[in-house]
Amino acid sequence: MDESHTIWIEKYRPQKLADIVGQDEIVERLSSYVRSGNLPHLLFTGSAGVGKTTAAVTLAREFFRDSWQMNFRELNASDERGIDVVRNQIKQFARTTPLGDATFKILFLDEADALTTDAQAALRRTMESYAQTCRFILSCNYSSKIIDPIQSRCAIYRFKPLSPAAIREEIRRIAHRESLNIRPDAMEAIVYIAQGDMRKAINALQGAAIISRDIDATMVYAIT
Ligand SMILES: Nc1ncnc2c1ncn2[C@@H]1O[C@H](COP(=O)(O)OP(=O)(O)OP(=O)(O)O)[C@@H](O)[C@H]1O
Ligand SMILES: [Mg+2]
């Protein structure tokens, strides 16, 4: 792919749990699942751009290693094709045997709070029926929109908005890799714009970098 068309939030998406910044407690607990070789159903909740999807994918990679793509599936609950399609895909994936030496698969259901109460009730039954062969990771912005019976079947992880220190750390890392100079006022502008959302921070950096490799605050504000 032409380098100038690469989206940095994808280019720099952490590939390992340890590369996720600012969510140390969560990363530590997820790593302990990898070490133990077992996993409960999980519910990831928190605002946008704080690492929920990244955590689910990196967890699956480290859990299954070479067979992660065969044993991990990501579905979006707000898929425009409708909940029936999603429901069928969930069942289809959950009931088939895990591959390689995996004892179960992982199904990652993004935007689970988009499911209606009825759909969640059906999901709850699916989670129970196929718990032997499939673990679910649900992701949502608001855990209050997930019905209690599902919440009680999951270990719940509340992702916090990222601290200014965590945002600075990641922005510094990317700036270094892209050979950018970030003036202190530009860094503060990025932190201010991001409001704890790393996706916003990285997009602000990429936007400013189009203007110049020597970035000051006016360039950051120019594109947001
Ligand atoms: N904690 C983090 N450490 C490093 N990079 C992060 C972190 N959180 C987010 N990012 C960056 O932001 C991008 C988006 O993150 P991710 O998709 O994990 O967000 P999310 O929490 O799932 O958000 P949404 O609620 O919008 O789905 C990632 O590709 C990554 O580049
Ligand atoms: Mg996500």
Side-chain angles (χ1 to χ4, degrees), residues 5-25:
H5 292 276
T6 312
I7 298 172
W8 289 357
I9 52 167
E10 292 309 330
K11 183 176 179 186
Y12 293 107
R13 185 189 283 275
Q15 302 292 305
K16 292 185 300 196
L17 282 169
D19 294 338
I20 295 173
V21 302
Q23 307 288 6
D24 295 2
E25 262 173 57

Side-chain angles (χ1 to χ4, degrees), residues 52-53 110 139 199:
K52 301 182 299 297
T53 298
D110 216 349
S139 179
R199 189 188 288 117

Side-chain angles (χ1 to χ4, degrees), residues 156-203:
I156 302 180
Y157 287 84
R158 297 182 194 283
F159 286 64
K160 292 187 214 77
L162 292 162
S163 68
I167 303 248
R168 283 188 206 108
E169 180 183 339
E170 187 67 6
I171 291 301
R172 240 181 254 122
R173 184 179 79 88
I174 296 174
H176 180 73
R177 295 268 297 274
E178 297 290 335
S179 308
L180 303 171
N181 180 45
I182 305 192
R183 309 275 183 93
D185 65 338
M187 183 64 94
E188 290 326 295
I190 290 171
V191 166
Y192 176 76
I193 284 167
Q195 296 289 314
D197 177 341
M198 191 70 87
R199 189 188 288 117
K200 268 194 197 159
I202 296 170
N203 283 336

Side-chain angles (χ1 to χ4, degrees), residues 33 39-43 120-131 134-138 146-157:
Y33 294 139
L39 198 73
H41 297 310
L42 306 175
L43 176 60
Q120 289 189 35
L123 175 64
R124 166 202 169 168
R125 286 189 294 275
T126 309
M127 288 171 76
E128 281 172 346
S129 307
Y130 302 109
C134 189
R135 299 293 190 275
F136 287 77
I137 303 177
L138 309 184
I146 304 294
I147 59 173
D148 284 343
I150 289 185
Q151 290 201 38
S152 76
R153 281 170 179 76
C154 295
I156 302 180
Y157 287 84

